[in-house]
Amino acid sequence: MSEFPASDLIERAAQAGFRMTTAGRQALAHPADDQIAEINAALDQGVTFDQFSTAEWDGEPLFEEMTR
């Protein structure tokens, strides 16, 4: 993991075919210390990127599937 865990998470999402939404960018602009670690742990356990949302944005998704 790099010095910038949010960047690592964005890269991981891109590799899975997802990109961060506006809500995701806002929510992770200043994440809680363990928020990104919790997301990565959930991903490791099989949660998919499209299952993450944030209460701060009325349940808006953090990630959306990329379309070609």
Side-chain angles (χ1 to χ4, degrees), residues 1-67:
M1 183 100 28
S2 79
E3 182 179 341
F4 304 103
S7 295
D8 293 341
L9 183 60
I10 292 167
E11 175 70 24
R12 187 174 180 180
Q15 290 174 357
F18 287 85
R19 65 177 163 232
M20 194 169 280
T21 63
T22 299
R25 286 189 295 277
Q26 291 293 325
L28 296 177
H30 302 286
D33 290 339
D34 57 351
Q35 185 176 14
I36 292 175
E38 288 175 2
I39 291 172
N40 278 311
L43 290 166
D44 292 341
Q45 293 177 8
V47 175
T48 58
F49 282 95
D50 58 344
Q51 294 177 292
F52 293 101
S53 62
T54 178
E56 293 87 6
W57 283 74
D58 298 322
E60 289 291 318
L62 294 181
F63 299 93
E64 63 187 358
E65 198 165 0
M66 286 191 242
T67 57

